Amino acid sequence: MRVLVTGGAGFIGSHTVLALAAAGHDPVIADNFSNSKPSVLPRIEELAGRPVTLHEVDLTDTAATDALFAAGGFDAVIHFAGFKAVGESVAKPALYYRNNIDSTLSVLDAMVKHGVSRFVFSSSATVYGEKAPVPYREDWEFLEATNPYGQTKVMIERILTDVAAVNEGWKVALLRYFNPVGAHASGRIGEDPNGIPNNLMPFVSQVAVGRRDRLTVFGDDYPTSDGTGERDYIHVVDLAAGHVAALDHLDAMATPARAFNLGTGTGTSVLQIVRAFEAASGRPIPYDVGPRRAGDLPTSYADATRAREELGWTAKLSIEDMCADSWRWQSNNPEGFPS
Ligand code: WQD
């Protein structure tokens, strides 16, 4: 299928573009480089072994988005484009609601107008909120997020479900990611966050490569195996494969819209990640224990049954693979992608 990958120059998007090409699909990227760099494209093409078309477009621009679809001939859309920094969303809620929701509505309008009816959405485990029992299951109905970023995911899932219900033949997969980490085994593409990383793995890899002095562990008094926060880390290559599996499953879906957890079903603590990264990199990761971070949960991991049973997908790569592949990317690209 000819697949429009919005945000396809980003961390998860670029890995998914590679997986789509390898599976025989024809991926086309739309990105405005708000959280990625143009220099990723030649590396995607190098790894895909073929040219990949990229349109630089702001998807909140409805005219530009419509023109993209008018000329595109797309069979499906995988929608990654959106702002994703939890802390920034708390400080700038209106920016997050406008960007994430307007861009989605703009794409949906263009899809209806140009007869595209397959959609895979980059959602997040953050939609389960603080009350859902762990491991998280997709049939939990009371979706709520503890920050505006997560709320945009809750709202967009609702929008997609309502739009799919009234458009004949539409199929929408809502993919709820847990904690994406790692990098393509080549070390040529990987996670390249702007500024100081909010997330654990890129911060740890920047300590290992010497860009940061020390890690701060946000609390070690949680009711977990070693007192530090536990998360369901999933290798970005496994995550990309999950998107291809969901795309290939859409036409067989019994309902217009359906959520799927993309996780391993296992929780790993902060200190376990630190030790695994030290083993993978051979570098020490000095750290201090600081106060808990507001909004953090003690533990979060997936019930991954539905994706296994309905998509035929399971995560295959280990924490050791995630750390080794992350380190190969970071050590080969200490400053990330060239500006
Ligand atoms: C993981 C663990 C921290 C940094 C977030 C978003 C989620 C998704 C993934 C977008 C926690 C601890 C972290 C540090 C630390 N993003 N930590 N020191 O918070 O589980 O999820 O990123 O889709 O929506 O909420 O990921 O990597 O920030 O934190 O101790 O410098 O590492 O307390 O236990 P999180 P994270």
Side-chain angles (χ1 to χ4, degrees), residues 134-136 176-179 230-235 238 261-268 299-308 313-317 319 322:
V134 176
Y136 296 128
R176 294 172 181 168
Y177 309 162
F178 283 73
N179 290 61
E230 289 175 346
R231 295 292 184 276
D232 187 333
Y233 297 96
I234 175 171
H235 197 297
D238 275 331
N261 288 335
L262 293 188
T264 67
T266 304
T268 302
T299 189
S300 158
Y301 57 90
D303 177 322
T305 305
R306 181 181 286 185
R308 184 181 67 250
W313 172 90
T314 56
K316 298 191 172 23
L317 296 167
I319 294 287
M322 296 173 209

Side-chain angles (χ1 to χ4, degrees), residues 147-181:
N147 57 77
Y149 155 75
Q151 282 293 39
T152 68
K153 297 296 187 183
V154 172
M155 294 174 183
I156 293 168
E157 285 201 9
R158 178 76 265 159
I159 291 166
L160 293 173
T161 302
D162 292 345
V163 169
V166 295
N167 283 281
E168 182 59 34
W170 270 50
K171 293 293 174 63
V172 175
L174 309 169
L175 304 186
R176 294 172 181 168
Y177 309 162
F178 283 73
N179 290 61
V181 295

